[in-house]
Amino acid sequence: MNIDSVLHRYSVGGRDFHRIELREAELINSELCGADFSDADLRQSRFGRTNFSYTCFRRANLSETIFWGADLTSADMRQANLREADLSGAKLIQTQLTEANLLKACLCGANLSAVQMDGAILIEVDLRPTSDQRTDLGRANLAGADLSYANLSQALLTQANLDGAKLCRATLKSDQWRDAFATDLSEASLCGADLSYVDLSGVNLRKANLRGADLTGTALTYAELKDAIMPNGNVHS
């Protein structure tokens, strides 16, 4: 099946495209809201600025696929393979990414507000801001996610759930003289998280819960820790 066949079927009411093979497809500024691409092979495709809200990509192979500026609001991408995918500037509000593989994916400037990423693989993922948009992970569920070596510089993680997450050697440092924003982990839950050898200099951790977190080799220079719960349970004044 080719992309023209998909668009024609969709235009007459078809929504079931599960398990299709459609590698290297190109689809820009199109509408596929509510379609079912579960278990599909869509590797190396280009889907810029396309509306995929409420679409199902569960267990789909989306490695190296470009979703820049796409609308993936409330999409089901659980257990999807998004290795090295480009989701920069995409809208992923309330998207389901539980146990998805986002190894080396680009999420620069994406809106991930209230996203579900528990158990996701986010090793070396790039979550930096773009020139006009800050990466928003406010209230995101990242419990148990692997964010080792991820770049979270200037990301908004207010009230995010990072319980048990692996952030070993991730980049969160904020330079107050250079960066437009400080990385914001205020009111985030980091219970039992691995923050070993992370530079948290200048990061906003106000009212964050760090109970049981591993801070081995962690730098906290100029970090905002007012009312944060420290690994030993004490509240930082």
Side-chain angles (χ1 to χ4, degrees), residues 57-60 75-80 96-100:
F57 289 105
R58 191 168 185 180
R59 296 180 302 275
D76 184 352
M77 305 181 89
R78 287 174 289 175
Q79 299 176 322
Q96 297 279 341
L97 281 158
T98 300
E99 297 181 357

Side-chain angles (χ1 to χ4, degrees), residues 85 87-90 92 97 102 104-113 115 117 121-130 133-138 140 142 145-157 162 167 170-172 181 183:
L87 293 129
S88 53
L92 292 138
L97 281 158
L102 288 126
K104 296 184 179 180
C106 178
L107 289 156
C108 293
N111 188 338
L112 295 126
S113 178
V115 73
M117 282 181 153
I121 298 170
L122 293 148
I123 298 170
E124 293 186 55
V125 72
D126 193 345
L127 289 152
R128 291 174 297 173
T130 57
Q133 187 168 306
R134 189 179 187 186
T135 306
D136 186 351
L137 282 153
L142 290 149
D146 192 341
L147 285 144
S148 305
Y149 297 93
N151 193 331
L152 287 149
S153 178
Q154 302 184 68
L156 180 65
L157 287 145
L162 289 147
L167 290 135
T171 301
L172 290 99
F181 307 101
T183 306

Side-chain angles (χ1 to χ4, degrees), residues 120-211:
I121 298 170
L122 293 148
I123 298 170
E124 293 186 55
V125 72
D126 193 345
L127 289 152
R128 291 174 297 173
T130 57
S131 59
D132 61 349
Q133 187 168 306
R134 189 179 187 186
T135 306
D136 186 351
L137 282 153
R139 297 180 293 111
N141 183 0
L142 290 149
D146 192 341
L147 285 144
S148 305
Y149 297 93
N151 193 331
L152 287 149
S153 178
Q154 302 184 68
L156 180 65
L157 287 145
T158 304
Q159 297 180 352
N161 180 2
L162 289 147
D163 291 346
K166 298 176 183 177
L167 290 135
C168 179
R169 299 187 187 278
T171 301
L172 290 99
K173 179 182 178 180
S174 293
D175 188 333
Q176 60 180 320
W177 308 114
R178 183 192 64 191
D179 297 339
F181 307 101
T183 306
D184 193 346
L185 281 157
S186 58
E187 300 183 58
S189 184
L190 292 141
C191 295
D194 180 1
L195 290 157
S196 55
Y197 303 101
V198 175
D199 191 345
L200 293 169
S201 299
V203 173
N204 182 3
L205 287 156
R206 183 186 290 261
K207 295 186 179 179
N209 189 348
L210 294 155
R211 189 185 296 270

Side-chain angles (χ1 to χ4, degrees), residues 31-72:
E31 180 82 23
L32 283 167
C33 175
D36 180 4
F37 288 100
S38 56
D39 298 296
D41 185 352
L42 299 165
R43 281 175 283 175
Q44 299 172 326
S45 295
R46 293 167 293 282
F47 295 136
R49 297 191 299 274
T50 293
N51 183 2
F52 286 114
S53 56
Y54 299 96
T55 294
C56 181
F57 289 105
R58 191 168 185 180
R59 296 180 302 275
N61 190 342
L62 301 160
S63 59
E64 299 179 55
T65 291
I66 296 171
F67 284 104
W68 45 263
D71 187 349
L72 290 152

